[in-house]
Amino acid sequence: VIYPPHSKLTDKEKTNICYLSFPDSNSGCLGDTQFCFRFRRSPGRKVSLCCFLDQLDRDLPVYLKKDPAYYYGYVYFRQVRDKSLKRGYFQKSLVLISKLPYVHLFRTMLKQIAPEYFEKSEAFLEAVCSDVDRWPPPISGKILHLPIMGIIMKLRIPTYRDKPGTMPIVQNMHQADAQICMALPTVHEVDLFRCFCPVFFHIQMLWELVLLGEPLVVMAPSPSESSETVLALVSCISPLKYCSDFRPYFTIHDSEFKEYTTRTQAPPSVILGVTNPFFAKTLQHWPHIIRIGDIKLPGEVPKQVKVKKLKNLKTLDSKPGVYTSYKPYLNKDEEIVKQLQKGVQQKRPTEAQSVILRRYFLELTESFIIPLERYVASLMPLQKCISPWKSPPQLRQFSQDDFMKTLEKAGPQLTSGLKGDWIGLYRHFLKSPNFDGWFRSRQKEMTQKLEALHLEALCNENLVFWSQKHTEVETVDLVLKLKNKLLQADREQLPVKTDTLKKLQTHINDIILALPDDLQDILLKTGTT
């Protein structure tokens, strides 16, 4: 069943969803299981919501922006014994498909609706959808109230202006009416400490592998463990966006199975979460494999565990651990391990442990990225180079050698006490998809800033006076260029003050009014559509 019935999915998408919606038979997930997957959208599909979601995307932090090429599937799976059925089991999945990576929100929502859906069937979905129809647009930075079957979920979607690592508290309301209000502390985060517990001593090495976009496979006993671990890995380099593909749960039926498991070329830059024992053989040529057992919070301090050699990984029954021959660039930070171990001894709540771990990853990523930010900012031309009568100047080229020279005085040592081969880590990072994605996004921002400064420079000129000293042909050319500038500012959402745009529109109108009537008519109609 697909609901709403008018939802359009291609046959390939339906097949992918069907296979990804159930745990592999070896997982033995009795009872209720929640997990998530991610799959490629079929190319060439038109989606009416695009422009609307693009506008909302602008204010999101980069790691929460939607990827137009992918969908997320959020699954609530139930398997219980039922002798009345031929197979002896009731097995059903309710799956929510969305472009939005709001794992915690949709997980909470499914927890509210799936158990009742299994009892009441399709008519219940209609009632759920009519509740979702009443939801406000997913605007970031606002407190949103989302009704769902007698409960109101209260949450806030982060904005790019939020200070990284901070989370405004969403308070529970005491409402007089019958509806229960549930405040969600986050829309997208997973329980970081719980996910990294099985590989506790290797968190810093895993951060390096994710940062560098290395091929990583997570072998887990069930889709909930594989999907949570993959999502935790992707989020550990936040506020950087992980720019390669990642699949929280991947099966042998996936349409990209052949592409990702071929031995004819090097493994791709992707993180896969798998549960099928077949993958232990298929992916044994991959350079980095994380094997996790059932995720349980440690009641005692985990013992020190060495990195295991890849040749020791033959089956999915191999011991939990990290199998790789990778040598980390940075020296190990013993402090964070001691701090988390102390938390385990003192029975510190897992939420508090996750906060410590998230702050550690954030400080590590910021120490790494600040020197790059500083160098890239220096590629911006000076404001005095911007002339209203010339095209905006170009950004200077990124030079790896010049950047490396800046590290001696303004490198990560200014904010991090960690020693090690930072230079080697940067060299490797500059070849990775994560650098490519980060730099493109910075380039776009800076080019838009130059366009905005150029617009402001034009506004500060006496354009009517200029037009009086030039021929009609030159004046018409100027008007058309200015109109294009306004359209570009709107289309690309350039960072320009509204007053600047109004001022420019006034300039255009004044120039047109000083021209002969026949030209006025033509120019007033041009560029307005």
Side-chain angles (χ1 to χ4, degrees):
V1 174
I2 296 182
Y3 211 91
H6 61 263
S7 306
K8 297 276 188 289
L9 289 167
T10 65
D11 288 344
K12 189 178 178 183
E13 286 167 345
K14 283 181 191 171
T15 306
N16 269 334
I17 291 167
C18 288
Y19 279 121
L20 289 163
S21 297
F22 291 91
D24 280 314
S25 53
N26 66 293
S27 296
C29 298
L30 265 179
D32 291 1
T33 306
Q34 282 191 266
F35 60 94
C36 113
F37 59 82
R38 187 170 178 261
F39 64 102
R40 265 187 211 163
R41 283 184 58 210
S42 295
R45 292 189 48 191
K46 287 183 180 154
V47 181
S48 55
L49 271 174
C50 265
C51 343
F52 172 64
L53 285 175
D54 286 346
Q55 281 178 308
L56 299 173
D57 243 23
R58 280 202 317 272
D59 289 333
L60 288 171
V62 64
Y63 54 87
L64 280 186
K65 289 183 189 292
K66 65 175 173 42
D67 186 330
Y70 290 90
Y71 277 131
Y72 283 85
Y74 300 97
V75 182
Y76 194 106
F77 167 70
R78 174 170 287 184
Q79 176 169 270
V80 287
R81 288 184 191 281
D82 186 339
K83 292 201 174 111
S84 66
L85 296 171
K86 195 176 171 187
R87 299 183 70 175
Y89 283 96
F90 169 94
Q91 289 173 311
K92 210 169 208 180
S93 278
L94 180 62
V95 187
L96 190 149
I97 304 291
S98 174
K99 287 203 192 75
L100 306 172
Y102 301 159
V103 189
H104 188 70
L105 164 62
F106 293 127
R107 186 190 169 88
T108 308
M109 178 184 166
L110 282 170
K111 220 180 218 167
Q112 294 303 319
I113 62 173
E116 215 169 326
Y117 160 69
F118 293 137
E119 305 292 328
K120 297 182 179 171
S121 204
E122 275 82 73
F124 181 70
L125 287 185
E126 197 166 335
V128 168
C129 284
S130 67
D131 267 354
V132 175
D133 281 341
R134 291 161 49 209
W135 288 10
I139 297 168
S140 52
K142 276 183 158 184
I143 300 287
L144 304 175
H145 298 91
L146 314 182
I148 194 80
M149 303 319 288
I151 283 177
I152 291 181
M153 295 186 292
K154 188 180 174 194
L155 54 99
R156 178 185 180 275
I157 298 167
T159 82
Y160 72 89
R161 294 179 205 88
D162 294 351
K163 187 169 177 275
T166 59
M167 186 77 74
I169 302 295
V170 179
Q171 297 287 358
N172 252 325
M173 295 180 302
H174 293 291
Q175 284 190 312
D177 61 36
Q179 288 201 306
I180 303 160
C181 187
M182 182 194 287
L184 271 58
T186 171
V187 290
H188 66 286
E189 287 173 354
V190 291
D191 186 338
L192 215 52
F193 179 66
R194 190 170 157 273
C195 294
F196 279 116
C197 243
V199 285
F200 192 78
F201 289 98
H202 311 304
I203 49 175
Q204 193 177 316
M205 178 177 74
L206 293 174
W207 172 83
E208 281 190 26
L209 292 173
V210 175
L211 180 78
L212 301 172
E214 285 286 307
L216 256 173
V217 61
V218 174
M219 294 184 174
S222 82
S224 54
E225 270 116 6
S226 87
S227 62
E228 288 204 4
T229 308
V230 169
L231 293 168
L233 286 165
V234 166
S235 74
C236 79
I237 59 166
S238 175
L240 262 184
K241 181 185 170 82
Y242 179 77
C243 295
S244 295
D245 189 8
F246 60 95
R247 302 300 178 90
Y249 175 49
F250 189 73
T251 76
I252 56 173
H253 304 288
D254 199 287
S255 49
E256 278 77 61
F257 174 74
K258 279 200 177 89
E259 178 190 333
Y260 283 168
T261 55
T262 176
R263 285 174 181 250
T264 55
Q265 58 201 52
S269 169
V270 34
I271 303 178
L272 298 181
V274 303
T275 63
N276 192 322
F278 182 69
F279 281 108
K281 196 182 283 182
T282 322
L283 298 178
Q284 63 184 355
H285 63 295
W286 276 45
H288 321 289
I289 293 169
I290 301 168
R291 170 77 186 94
I292 56 174
D294 294 315
I295 295 184
K296 294 186 187 79
L297 282 174
E300 59 205 52
V301 181
K303 311 234 173 341
Q304 177 65 281
V305 186
K306 283 200 172 76
V307 171
K308 297 173 169 57
K309 292 190 173 59
L310 278 164
K311 65 175 191 313
N312 297 341
L313 183 78
K314 288 287 178 283
T315 68
L316 204 61
D317 300 331
S318 303
K319 288 197 172 87
V322 179
Y323 293 77
T324 179
S325 53
Y326 176 81
K327 296 279 177 285
Y329 286 97
L330 304 182
N331 300 349
K332 195 164 185 174
D333 187 341
E334 300 293 348
E335 259 328 287
I336 182 69
V337 174
K338 282 182 194 158
Q339 203 179 349
L340 292 171
Q341 281 180 319
K342 193 177 172 190
V344 173
Q345 286 167 333
Q346 295 174 345
K347 304 213 170 357
R348 190 186 287 144
T350 171
E351 295 84 4
Q353 294 276 74
S354 285
V355 168
I356 292 168
L357 194 48
R358 194 166 273 112
R359 191 185 308 126
Y360 161 75
F361 281 136
L362 174 70
E363 285 169 4
L364 194 51
T365 305
E366 286 190 327
S367 291
F368 179 79
I369 212 72
I370 285 169
L372 271 164
E373 296 272 13
R374 199 181 285 123
Y375 170 71
V376 167
S378 75
L379 304 179
M380 184 88 164
L382 296 171
Q383 198 154 348
K384 65 181 180 188
C385 304
I386 297 169
S387 155
W389 308 114
K390 290 181 189 162
S391 294
Q394 298 286 308
L395 295 173
R396 290 210 313 284
Q397 288 288 314
F398 186 101
S399 155
Q400 184 170 321
D401 293 341
D402 290 351
F403 166 63
M404 292 299 178
K405 282 175 197 156
T406 67
L407 293 176
E408 200 179 327
K409 286 185 180 159
Q413 70 276 11
L414 296 180
T415 50
S416 172
L418 267 187
K419 298 280 185 281
D421 182 10
W422 284 96
I423 302 278
L425 186 62
Y426 280 114
R427 281 193 200 285
H428 194 153
F429 177 72
L430 294 181
K431 298 186 196 117
S432 75
N434 287 332
F435 169 70
D436 188 52
W438 172 81
F439 184 59
R440 275 176 203 233
S441 139
R442 281 289 171 275
Q443 252 181 331
K444 186 181 172 187
E445 276 172 32
M446 289 159 75
T447 306
Q448 288 188 335
K449 179 73 179 155
L450 284 171
E451 289 285 356
L453 290 169
H454 187 244
L455 265 179
E456 277 170 29
L458 274 167
C459 277
N460 294 331
E461 289 293 313
N462 186 340
L463 298 178
V464 177
F465 180 69
W466 180 93
S467 66
Q468 286 162 356
K469 295 185 148 213
H470 288 76
T471 65
E472 271 180 20
V473 172
E474 288 169 314
T475 304
V476 168
D477 188 49
L478 175 70
V479 169
L480 295 175
K481 279 183 178 161
L482 293 176
K483 285 195 167 201
N484 271 335
K485 284 270 179 200
L486 279 179
L487 287 170
Q488 181 196 9
D490 181 54
R491 187 176 60 246
E492 295 177 18
Q493 299 296 327
L494 296 181
V496 190
K497 298 186 190 85
T498 319
D499 288 355
T500 305
L501 297 176
K502 281 181 183 165
K503 200 170 167 187
L504 194 59
Q505 187 61 62
T506 308
H507 279 325
I508 293 171
N509 295 343
D510 291 347
I511 296 169
I512 292 174
L513 290 173
L515 288 167
D517 291 352
D518 55 340
L519 276 177
Q520 280 187 37
D521 288 345
I522 295 166
L523 289 173
L524 287 167
K525 286 173 190 163
T526 311
T528 52
T529 51

